[in-house]
Amino acid sequence: MIRKTKMLVFLLLSLLLTSCFEFIEEITFNKDGSGSAVLTMNLSKSKTKLASIMLLDSVNGYKVPSKASITKKIQEVVTKIKKLKGVHNVKNSLHLDDFIVTISCDFDNVEVLNSVIASFSSKKDAIAIKKHKHFTYNKNKKTFTRSHHFDFSKKIRKVKMKDRGILKTASFTSIYRFKSPIKTFQNKEAKVSKTNKAIMLRLPIEEVIANKKSIKNYIELDK
């Protein structure tokens, strides 16, 4: 999800890549593999600067989108998700005063969750997500895998050097919750909650793009 999806590209590149932002991926799994997901893009730390930028037509060669066009783009993604079989209770909130976007839904199984993630992406990347699977959940073996199949370097090279500073303050946060205690996990950057049923990973996007750190994880739950 950290991938530069349509919504991320639209919100980040169009807003000049000059803002501190955080992408948050929260997923809760039931024992049968169904669950709920909440995806949030938070640019509120730079809302004053962004509010000023929104008054302009363009800055540094980037076209500044109107609030109406941002709303339309997000609604297109939401509509696409609502049409997916196995997805329920799709909701979204868009607070353009604080520059926070949230999309949430319930899903029947992890395959559906991958389709939800694919809805944010270009056609090419959507195919990759469905083929390689960002998420897998084996309810019999009690294992969960978060994979990552994108090469950020090509996308970043298209961004002007002076606008790459956003990556120094941008972050990706994942929070996964389970009904069973976590037995083991592979990503040593992650931290398990006191209840041992949730795990969080927070990484600088700059280091993920440079392949210095990974958002991948393999989690085994107690049976």
Side-chain angles (χ1 to χ4, degrees):
M1 201 58 213
I2 190 176
R3 165 68 173 79
K4 289 290 189 293
T5 62
K6 284 184 177 180
M7 186 176 74
L8 271 64
V9 171
F10 188 78
L11 290 176
L12 300 182
L13 296 185
S14 295
L15 290 175
L16 318 179
L17 289 178
T18 57
S19 308
C20 174
F21 75 93
E22 180 177 24
F23 184 78
I24 306 169
E25 180 181 88
E26 295 182 69
I27 302 174
T28 300
F29 282 97
N30 300 315
K31 289 187 176 181
D32 64 357
S34 64
S36 60
V38 181
L39 309 171
T40 303
M41 171 63 73
N42 187 345
L43 295 92
S44 61
K45 292 182 179 180
S46 299
K47 64 180 182 179
T48 301
K49 176 186 284 187
L50 288 172
S52 298
I53 290 173
M54 292 290 288
L55 298 175
L56 305 174
D57 292 325
S58 65
V59 178
N60 294 343
Y62 295 104
K63 179 177 174 58
V64 178
S66 65
K67 290 185 177 181
S69 61
I70 293 175
T71 300
K72 180 181 178 181
K73 179 61 66 173
I74 292 172
Q75 284 302 321
E76 288 176 357
V77 175
V78 172
T79 298
K80 193 173 182 180
I81 293 174
K82 286 183 176 180
K83 292 180 179 179
L84 295 173
K85 185 177 181 180
V87 176
H88 316 280
N89 302 319
V90 181
K91 300 177 182 178
N92 77 287
S93 62
L94 172 61
H95 300 286
L96 287 177
D97 290 335
D98 292 324
F99 293 93
I100 302 175
V101 181
T102 300
I103 296 179
S104 63
C105 67
D106 297 332
F107 54 88
D108 287 350
N109 52 58
V110 73
E111 287 75 17
V112 175
L113 175 60
N114 283 313
S115 294
V116 170
I117 301 302
S119 297
F120 289 85
S121 303
S122 65
K123 184 177 180 179
K124 179 181 178 181
D125 293 331
I127 292 173
I129 291 173
K130 292 178 181 179
K131 178 180 179 180
H132 301 292
K133 303 185 185 305
H134 267 5
F135 302 99
T136 60
Y137 180 84
N138 189 314
K139 62 182 179 182
N140 296 319
K141 294 183 178 181
K142 297 292 184 181
T143 58
F144 167 78
T145 303
R146 203 309 181 187
S147 300
H148 184 228
H149 306 285
F150 296 114
D151 180 2
F152 291 105
S153 58
K154 293 181 180 179
K155 296 292 182 181
I156 293 303
R157 284 197 293 269
K158 295 180 181 179
V159 180
K160 299 174 183 178
M161 287 296 296
K162 63 181 179 180
D163 293 323
R164 297 182 190 180
I166 184 175
L167 300 176
K168 297 184 180 299
T169 55
S171 65
F172 168 83
T173 301
S174 66
I175 302 171
Y176 305 131
R177 301 182 180 90
F178 306 94
K179 299 301 180 182
S180 302
I182 295 170
K183 185 178 180 180
T184 62
F185 61 96
Q186 290 186 351
N187 193 319
K188 300 308 178 183
E189 299 283 344
K191 297 181 179 179
V192 178
S193 67
K194 292 182 179 180
T195 64
N196 213 37
K197 292 184 178 182
I199 187 167
M200 182 181 78
L201 177 66
R202 189 173 190 272
L203 296 173
I205 287 180
E206 183 179 35
E207 295 191 19
V208 176
I209 291 174
N211 292 320
K212 293 180 179 180
K213 293 186 178 181
S214 175
I215 64 175
K216 295 180 180 180
N217 208 350
Y218 176 83
I219 299 168
E220 184 179 356
L221 306 174
D222 278 336
K223 298 181 180 180

